[in-house]
Amino acid sequence: MLELIAAVRSDGTTGDTGDDEDERSGRSRWERLRQSDFVRSAPFWGPPFLLMGFFVYAAIGWNFLLSLTDYERFQGPDYSNLDFGMYRRMLDDPTFWEATQNTLILLIVFTVACLVAGLLLAILLDREVRFGRGFRTIYLLPMSLSFIVTAQFWKWMYNSQFGIINEFFGLFGLGPYGWLSNPDLVLFSVIFALVWQFSGYTMIVYLAALRAIPQDQYEAARVDGASTLKLYWRVIIPQLKPAMVSASVVLLLFSLKAFDFLFALFDGYQPRKGADILSTMMVREAFARSQWAYSSAIAIVLFLLSLAVIAPYLYQQHRQGNL
Amino acid sequence: MRGTAAAGVSATALLAGCLTGGGDGGDGNEVEVLHGWTGGDGADAASALFSAFEEEHSDVPTNVRPIGGEGNQALDQVVAQRLQSDEPPSSFAGWPGPNMLQYEGVLGDVEEEVWEEAGLKEAHAPEVVEICQGPDGYSAVPIGSHRMNDLFYNVQVLDDAGVDPDSIDSFDAFVDALDAIESNTSAQPYVNGLAPWIVLQFWAVTMLGTQGYDAYMNFIEGDGDEAQVRAAFENVEIVLSDYLNVDAAEIGFTEANQRIMAGDAGFIHQGNWAAGAYGEDFVYGEDWGNIQFPGTEDMYGLHFDSFLYPANNPSPDNTHTFLRFAGSETAHVEFNRLKGSIPTREVPTDRFNEYLTQTIEDFSSAEQRPPTIAHGLAVPQSTQSQLEEAISNNFADPYNPSAVASEFVSIV
């Protein structure tokens, strides 16, 4: 009906006053808005939008606000004097730089090692080896274990006195090494344990992508005389790029928050020298020192690092029309 | 459309529920107590304590919430969240002394309603009374003390090594004893974990034993002498680098203590909670023994647990009743005889074992009771954390006594 009125009015054939026109125009806009997809779909997207907005983005915003205060202990934050003092303090803190360096090493080495190990496992399993399903389960199993369990497990494995790793090196007359006590080794010991736990995940992601590649591509490459190495290097692996990108994002984001593994491995907020990362430092500053504002500032740095990891992925997805 | 409206309403209700859910602060009458004694002798002791309270005060409803976790970290985290959100429990277990500085402004004063009304100031040792006073007044009530200057040993290992523990009257004599164990037995001379707090505690007892009570007290009061701090670290280095188990970084003190029980190691230094683990089959005097760390024979290394009283208390009257009970003779006997700790007040000793009875006598007769640095009684929590970080950075194999001593003096 309103559409009809609007149509008649646009013909100029009616003698309505200007006030009536305004009123009708307003009603029309309101009606259009009410009938729009945006409003009609609001009951579906509105509640999750509000929940996400409040519990995720408002919390991040509040965290940033806290990082601008001098909040420590339990006196409550003072929002009247906001500045970047905590970020300046961070720049002068050698522990922060060491934790950042360790975080970046963990980020890069862990992700690359997981991708390579996962790829090799996936290719082996894709070649229809005997007991392939059993191996797949075995490789994936560590992923299902809690970090508390795997940390204790690796503590025993790395034990300098009776750990199986030092026993192994002992066969060649090497060691024993202080895998968890030597500052030069400890971060790589942590990375190795995490790769063990996560390479099963990357294997599954790669395996799914490998299974999606049509068999005739393998056959065509064989007909062309490609060796196995060339077949994978030139034909198969380039097609695994989307799987690699999505697995990388998950691994990179995980490595930024590997707190619980380190907490369990070192029985507390203070890892051994060489293994302190930003997430352990953040929790230590908050809960061992009650430095809430400083801890919030570290959390913001971690958040920015996460954004730096995920933004290129989102941009790529957007360009491909997947978002 | 009706379905979507219902979904919207449910989501809104869920949101409202999340926003108003908050903590479980009880009904305003119930005494809600958080503590970290979730296993072994600690759990038994806490159970005996609260059973005795409920028996004596059956009219006071209680809600006791044990929160487990390494070194009370989970408990501290929950307490921090409750205090920050202004939903404090009625009381929580925590260290008194400088440790209370972190809670400044959110703890209450129970001097009149608890300390004076129950006569606790006269009943408890003067150092204990003083340490229970924080920036908000008397906010803590002691529940039991662990001794921090014991050196435990396996009798058989020392016998095999030809070491007479009573002859260890100096640090050099202690090193000689370690040498003898290494030379004459297959046991590890000294066993422990290498967590920063364990090294900090070992440094503290070495500082007391080799540099003296005044040097230690000057240090914790911020007037430390770097040369003395370094000298203590150099002594610690001798023990840790030459006689400690090689897997110290991978094990905790519980596993280390099991090696004493198994006869695989000679000595361990820990708070006397280590003795609580020995049980009935590992007999005091026959299988294990203790001496004071050489140089601290006249001291009692003071650690004690307490219940802290938050301001804005949800059940002030009943919490006062509970805290008066916590400082009482009944509570101290019931709790400490099972916990492996001792009362901080005079009590009949007939229900305590031989070792604890001896420790109670030592507590009474000690010339000095230096507060522990690794458990909140000597320095604030943030300072303790920085000291542990300094140890982790400079004194956890490889050992650098000069660097860590310099950091220690600058931190405190």
Side-chain angles (χ1 to χ4, degrees), chain B residues 58 70 81 146 176 186 193 200-201 211 220 231 245 390 396:
Chain B
S58 54
E70 180 77 24
Q81 283 159 353
H146 282 294
D176 290 343
S186 59
L200 178 63
Q201 168 55 33
Q211 309 301 311
I220 65 173
N245 45 308

Side-chain angles (χ1 to χ4, degrees), chain A residues 301-321:
Chain A
V301 171
L302 269 172
F303 173 66
L304 293 177
L305 278 172
S306 303
L307 273 187
V309 166
I310 205 161
Y313 173 72
L314 291 178
Y315 179 67
Q316 186 215 25
Q317 294 290 307
H318 176 68
R319 283 190 60 182
Q320 291 175 352

Side-chain angles (χ1 to χ4, degrees), chain A residues 44 74 95 160 263 272 288-289, chain B residues 4 102 250 381 385 389 396:
Chain A
F44 295 96
F74 295 94
T95 306
S160 313
F263 181 80
R272 296 303 301 265
R289 300 180 184 175
Chain B
T4 58
Q102 65 180 307
E250 294 105 35
Q381 177 224 30
S385 174
E389 187 174 316

Side-chain angles (χ1 to χ4, degrees), chain A residues 44 47 51 54 71 73-75 95 155 159-161 181 263 267-273 287-289 292, chain B residues 4 11 15 19 70 73 77 80 84 101-104 106 246-247 249-250 381 385-386 389 392-393 396:
Chain A
F44 295 96
L51 288 170
F54 185 80
Y71 185 22
R73 298 181 183 172
F74 295 94
Q75 299 287 13
T95 306
K155 250 167 123 168
N159 187 289
S160 313
Q161 200 156 317
S181 59
F263 181 80
D267 292 334
Y269 301 136
Q270 180 67 62
R272 296 303 301 265
K273 181 178 171 61
F287 292 104
R289 300 180 184 175
W292 310 108
Chain B
T4 58
L15 178 63
L19 292 175
E70 180 77 24
Q73 287 173 0
Q77 209 163 322
Q84 271 185 326
L101 281 173
Q102 65 180 307
Y103 303 122
E104 185 176 358
V106 290
V246 293
D247 62 347
E250 294 105 35
Q381 177 224 30
S385 174
Q386 288 174 53
E389 187 174 316
S392 180
N393 287 340

Side-chain angles (χ1 to χ4, degrees), chain B residues 104-338:
Chain B
E104 185 176 358
V106 290
L107 291 182
D109 182 11
V110 290
E111 181 174 12
E112 193 183 324
E113 300 88 345
V114 176
W115 282 87
E116 285 178 0
E117 197 173 320
L120 298 184
K121 282 184 181 173
E122 298 74 30
H124 289 269
E127 290 90 342
V128 171
V129 177
E130 189 186 329
I131 288 175
C132 285
Q133 200 175 4
D136 297 310
Y138 281 86
S139 305
V141 173
I143 183 63
S145 169
H146 282 294
R147 187 173 198 171
M148 299 305 300
N149 61 323
D150 267 333
L151 197 54
F152 299 100
Y153 59 85
N154 181 298
V155 171
Q156 187 63 50
V157 171
L158 265 63
D159 279 351
D160 292 347
V163 172
D164 173 12
D166 294 331
S167 69
I168 301 173
D169 54 3
S170 68
F171 183 79
D172 289 341
F174 175 48
V175 173
D176 290 343
L178 295 172
D179 260 335
I181 295 172
E182 189 166 62
S183 307
N184 303 333
T185 74
S186 59
Q188 186 71 44
Y190 181 78
V191 69
N192 221 326
L194 209 54
W197 72 267
I198 294 178
V199 180
L200 178 63
Q201 168 55 33
F202 190 53
W203 169 81
V205 78
T206 309
M207 179 85 174
L208 280 165
T210 60
Q211 309 301 311
Y213 173 80
D214 289 337
Y216 175 79
M217 294 304 288
N218 287 341
F219 172 75
I220 65 173
E221 285 160 12
D223 193 21
D225 178 28
E226 189 172 329
Q228 289 178 311
V229 173
R230 186 172 54 248
F233 268 114
E234 283 165 355
N235 287 331
V236 172
E237 184 187 2
I238 292 170
V239 177
L240 300 190
S241 62
D242 294 344
Y243 303 105
L244 183 69
N245 45 308
V246 293
D247 62 347
E250 294 105 35
I251 65 168
F253 81 88
T254 310
E255 287 164 275
N257 205 25
Q258 283 166 355
R259 294 186 191 173
I260 294 283
M261 295 161 72
D264 294 333
F267 286 102
I268 186 172
H269 165 67
Q270 271 293 330
N272 70 353
W273 44 77
Y278 292 153
E280 289 176 4
D281 296 335
F282 196 57
V283 182
Y284 178 58
E286 290 177 25
D287 299 320
W288 67 276
N290 72 304
I291 55 171
Q292 276 61 68
F293 193 88
T296 69
E297 290 81 359
D298 297 326
M299 300 179 204
Y300 179 94
L302 183 63
H303 160 288
F304 65 94
D305 289 309
S306 66
F307 286 107
L308 303 180
Y309 178 85
N312 191 19
N313 203 282
S315 56
D317 291 342
N318 284 342
T319 307
H320 292 151
T321 305
F322 169 71
L323 291 178
R324 281 193 292 271
F325 174 79
S328 71
E329 183 181 309
T330 306
H332 275 237
V333 171
E334 290 298 329
F335 182 80
N336 290 298
R337 70 187 177 85
L338 294 172

